[in-house]
Amino acid sequence: MAQQMSPNRSRKSIKKPRQRTQISLWLATLLTAMMGIVNLLSAVTPSLPERRDWLELFFPFSIRASGRVFAAIAGFALLLLAINLSRRKRVAWWLTIGLLIISIVSHLIKGLDYEECILASILIVQLILMRQVFTAQSDRPSIAQGIRMLIGSVLFTLAYGTAGFYILDGHFKVDGQPMNFGFISSILQTLAMFFTEDNAGLEPQGRFAEFFADSIYTVGGVTLTFALFMLLRPVLLRHSAANQADYQRARQIIDQHGQTSLARLSLLNDKTYYFSPSRQSVVAYVAKGRAAIALGEPIGPITDRQETVVAFGEFCDRNDWFPVFYEVLPESLPLYDELGFQRVQIGEEAIIDLKTFNLKGKANQNLRTACNRLTKTGHTVQVYQPPISDDLIHSLKPVSEEWLRAKQGSEKRFSIGWFDRDYLRNCFIGVVYDSGGRLVAFTTLLSGYNQLEVTVDLMRHRQEAENGTMDFLFVSLAQRFQQLGYEGFNFSLSPLAGVGTTPDAQRIEKGLNYFFEHLNQFYNFKGLHQFKEKFQPRWEPRYLVYPRLADLPDIAVGLVRADSGDRLLDYLKPGT
């Protein structure tokens, strides 16, 4: 029988090849950027006289000058592509190879600069040897659109310049002589604007003619830049909802191995699923920009966890994404640390221990007062078990809509549920009725899979609800589930709570603590934390696990997009 590799040895064997590959990748990126700078400097540096004299025998000045133009353009493009090479973009690899070949030809024509040619040739060899590293795909529809845009930009710029020169006949001189442009000469002059250093002797006469000549470069530059942008775009998930087969497979795994309420939220239709190579584990994620954000951790056998994390990272690399894990448990952090991930605390979960929960003592005086007052005024709490009837869901809707209007917001997604009939039908629902039997508040609760715990999800009430209504609701629910034998009552994540409060906290965590303390007017993080604190829960930290510090801006935007369902930010297409 083969000897099983130890976890530590396995993790080291994973990290070493990655480190070597990363070093080679950064070296190729650095050399490509250097080649771009060399091209730009060479384009504005005079050629050596003896080489120039020899080239004059074979190439006229206009061709040698064009070599400088192409060297400068290639240099600028190489600087842009260097960033995309670091992202392992396959399209960037092809474009870089092509531009390096153009650079070699340009350097030979403009001044027989064989030193630059040798550097470009070495870089071509290195990139060819590393071709297996560049596996990150671009978005195929965007590539097609980019190619169409590239062709269209050339044709449009040519048509724009041709029409302009033809219409503005008499507004230009060429080599000091007034020029009357015909159709063919207009085409040739437009081409000369891009491929000759002196614009083929063109001299605009007047401000309008100068503006038109400059606008040709602007139109061409903007359209070509947009075409390059489309060619290098990361893969976009245009239909994020999983197909039925993937959903059923994910549900089987989650039913068997799910632990927390996040597992139930993983089955909502905003998630896409990645399955481990063994097909025993699943990652529920959303892809926004370049961030593939997993809700919680991989769900499956714990023995399959490491392989799933590594394989998910490789899957993200192929799509020009980076993997992110949201709300990671503290006991899982050593695995991610060993695999080279970074982490930051994002908040704490408030969990009531139902085995010891009671309303005795001075600390619970306010809760007792609220419960006694609402009980005397005839308020009652009713708990409904799934499946929830359509009639109840219909009666909850006005309360939900009133609450959303009061908050001047819309439904959130990703790490919480939303008012959806199919979702609500499978929840526990706690409802508060006033003395007249009118529904004034409700909450949805998710049960843990393989543990006796319920987790609060939606919390909504009418504007005229009595003070203490939500206290009354949650005390009643905690007591009810306590009687049913449940061990925990989870108030879910309290964002930014407990973040950056310890002396050894990271700088970024201390920065998040500033938001928690001073920006309460934008989102009531502190008020939500204080509400949960009244129930004297134990606080358990939750973490965001991510590859690099530089990825955090993309992750922040991705989380906002995932949370809002892209209703507000989709048109921005961040990270692309």
Side-chain angles (χ1 to χ4, degrees):
M1 181 180 295
Q3 184 178 4
Q4 187 176 3
M5 184 180 292
S6 68
N8 288 337
R9 185 179 176 186
S10 175
R11 291 168 191 168
K12 289 178 182 178
S13 67
I14 291 169
K15 287 182 70 177
K16 286 182 179 179
R18 280 189 167 188
Q19 290 173 350
R20 290 194 294 267
T21 299
Q22 193 65 34
I23 292 172
S24 299
L25 188 62
W26 279 110
L27 179 61
T29 300
L30 179 62
L31 288 176
T32 301
M34 288 177 57
M35 190 66 212
I37 295 172
V38 167
N39 273 19
L40 292 173
L41 293 176
S42 180
V44 297
T45 303
S47 301
L48 295 177
E50 59 274 15
R51 298 182 187 179
R52 185 181 64 243
D53 294 341
W54 190 84
L55 283 172
E56 285 178 350
L57 300 175
F58 301 94
F59 301 108
F61 172 77
S62 59
I63 293 179
R64 288 184 283 112
S66 297
R68 293 184 178 275
V69 174
F70 278 109
I73 294 173
F76 178 73
L78 286 172
L79 288 174
L80 293 178
L81 288 171
I83 299 173
N84 288 277
L85 285 178
S86 68
R87 291 161 50 182
R88 307 182 184 216
K89 298 287 289 188
R90 191 67 174 178
V91 171
W93 182 85
W94 279 109
L95 291 174
T96 302
I97 294 291
L99 284 172
L100 288 172
I101 293 173
I102 292 175
S103 296
I104 292 173
V105 175
S106 299
H107 286 302
L108 291 175
I109 290 176
K110 78 177 187 61
L112 206 61
D113 299 326
Y114 60 83
E115 298 89 350
E116 289 90 334
C117 296
I118 292 173
L119 178 60
S121 300
I122 292 173
L123 183 53
I124 288 175
V125 172
Q126 181 188 9
L127 290 174
I128 291 175
L129 293 175
M130 293 177 61
R131 61 188 179 278
Q132 300 300 330
V133 173
F134 299 95
T135 56
Q137 303 174 34
S138 292
D139 188 58
R140 290 189 177 183
S142 295
I143 291 177
Q145 187 177 351
I147 293 174
R148 291 195 299 270
M149 177 61 69
L150 188 62
I151 297 172
S153 65
V154 173
L155 295 177
F156 176 78
T157 304
L158 184 61
Y160 174 77
T162 300
F165 283 121
Y166 189 79
I167 294 171
L168 295 175
D169 193 29
H171 288 74
F172 297 91
K173 290 183 179 181
V174 174
D175 294 331
Q177 300 297 320
M179 187 67 182
N180 296 317
F181 287 106
F183 179 71
I184 300 300
S185 58
S186 297
I187 295 176
L188 295 176
Q189 184 60 56
T190 303
L191 292 173
M193 295 285 287
F194 286 96
F195 299 118
T196 63
E197 190 173 39
D198 63 349
N199 297 338
L202 184 73
E203 301 173 15
Q205 303 298 304
R207 290 184 178 180
F208 189 76
E210 290 179 357
F211 165 79
F212 170 71
D214 293 338
S215 70
I216 293 178
Y217 294 115
T218 301
V219 170
V222 169
T223 53
L224 288 171
T225 300
F226 182 72
L228 185 63
F229 163 83
M230 296 300 290
L231 288 171
L232 297 172
R233 204 176 199 182
V235 173
L236 304 178
L237 285 182
R238 288 168 171 78
H239 303 288
S240 60
N243 60 49
Q244 190 62 28
D246 283 351
Y247 177 81
Q248 291 300 332
R249 177 59 183 160
R251 181 153 200 159
Q252 290 175 3
I253 295 173
I254 290 170
D255 286 344
Q256 183 178 358
H257 298 285
Q259 294 290 330
T260 68
S261 60
L262 291 181
R264 293 198 179 276
L265 294 172
S266 296
L267 292 171
L268 294 179
N269 61 16
D270 62 331
K271 309 300 188 301
T272 305
Y273 301 115
Y274 170 80
F275 297 97
S276 66
S278 67
R279 299 286 291 180
Q280 296 182 57
S281 300
V282 63
V283 178
Y285 71 96
V286 296
K288 301 298 178 184
R290 293 193 60 219
I293 310 171
L295 181 61
E297 303 176 65
I299 301 172
I302 192 64
T303 55
D304 195 42
R305 177 72 56 83
Q306 176 183 314
E307 181 183 15
T308 304
V309 172
V310 172
F312 181 63
E314 293 171 348
F315 166 73
C316 291
D317 285 344
R318 291 194 297 272
N319 288 287
D320 193 23
W321 301 334
F322 47 80
V324 183
F325 299 90
Y326 183 78
E327 290 197 41
V328 172
L329 302 177
E331 54 266 31
S332 300
L333 293 178
L335 168 65
Y336 296 100
D337 291 343
E338 288 288 343
L339 292 176
F341 285 89
Q342 300 188 43
R343 35 61 180 266
V344 60
Q345 186 181 345
I346 55 173
E348 295 178 324
E349 281 193 354
I351 304 173
I352 299 175
D353 186 350
L354 293 181
K355 290 181 290 186
T356 60
F357 175 73
N358 62 72
L359 292 181
K360 297 178 181 178
K362 184 177 180 180
N364 292 317
Q365 177 63 50
N366 290 336
L367 291 178
R368 290 198 304 271
T369 300
C371 291
N372 292 334
R373 178 168 51 82
L374 287 165
T375 300
K376 290 178 182 179
T377 56
H379 286 71
T380 58
V381 172
Q382 181 69 43
V383 180
Y384 296 92
Q385 297 185 8
I388 303 299
S389 69
D390 288 341
D391 289 341
L392 178 58
I393 295 175
H394 181 74
S395 64
L396 297 175
K397 191 171 183 60
V399 179
S400 177
E401 291 176 344
E402 181 180 329
W403 186 86
L404 288 171
R405 285 195 300 270
K407 297 296 182 181
Q408 297 181 346
S410 57
E411 294 283 8
K412 306 301 181 185
R413 294 174 181 260
F414 183 56
S415 61
I416 60 175
W418 57 92
F419 199 95
D420 176 79
R421 188 176 301 276
D422 293 334
Y423 166 67
L424 294 175
R425 188 173 288 115
N426 296 307
C427 297
F428 287 96
I429 297 183
V431 177
V432 179
Y433 296 98
D434 64 15
S435 57
R438 184 172 182 244
L439 196 157
V440 295
F442 75 91
T443 185
T444 61
L445 301 110
L446 305 171
S447 60
Y449 273 91
N450 296 303
Q451 57 182 337
L452 294 173
E453 180 180 278
V454 290
T455 300
V456 175
D457 191 20
L458 302 182
M459 298 186 293
R460 298 182 179 179
H461 59 79
R462 294 188 182 275
Q463 282 294 97
E464 67 272 18
E466 293 284 344
N467 288 335
T469 295
M470 301 308 286
D471 295 348
F472 175 56
L473 172 60
F474 289 118
V475 167
S476 301
L477 290 174
Q479 292 173 335
R480 185 71 56 86
F481 284 99
Q482 186 180 49
Q483 294 169 2
L484 293 173
Y486 281 75
E487 298 176 354
F489 190 90
N490 192 330
F491 274 104
S492 68
L493 183 71
S494 186
L496 304 185
V499 176
T501 57
T502 60
D504 59 343
Q506 303 176 51
R507 288 184 179 180
I508 186 172
E509 291 176 342
K510 293 180 179 179
L512 292 174
N513 180 262
Y514 178 87
F515 283 96
F516 180 76
E517 295 291 340
H518 297 91
L519 299 180
N520 211 44
Q521 65 270 30
F522 296 106
Y523 190 86
N524 194 19
F525 289 129
K526 203 169 185 179
L528 182 63
H529 175 73
Q530 291 170 346
F531 172 78
K532 296 177 181 180
E533 185 66 51
K534 291 189 293 185
F535 296 86
Q536 300 183 60
R538 73 175 185 272
W539 293 95
E540 296 185 357
R542 296 293 181 262
Y543 295 87
L544 178 78
V545 171
Y546 59 96
R548 298 170 297 275
L549 186 65
D551 297 330
L552 283 178
D554 279 337
I555 294 171
V557 175
L559 283 170
V560 172
R561 293 179 63 191
D563 180 71
S564 66
D566 273 342
R567 289 180 301 276
L568 299 178
L569 298 177
D570 190 48
Y571 70 96
L572 293 177
K573 305 294 184 188
T576 56

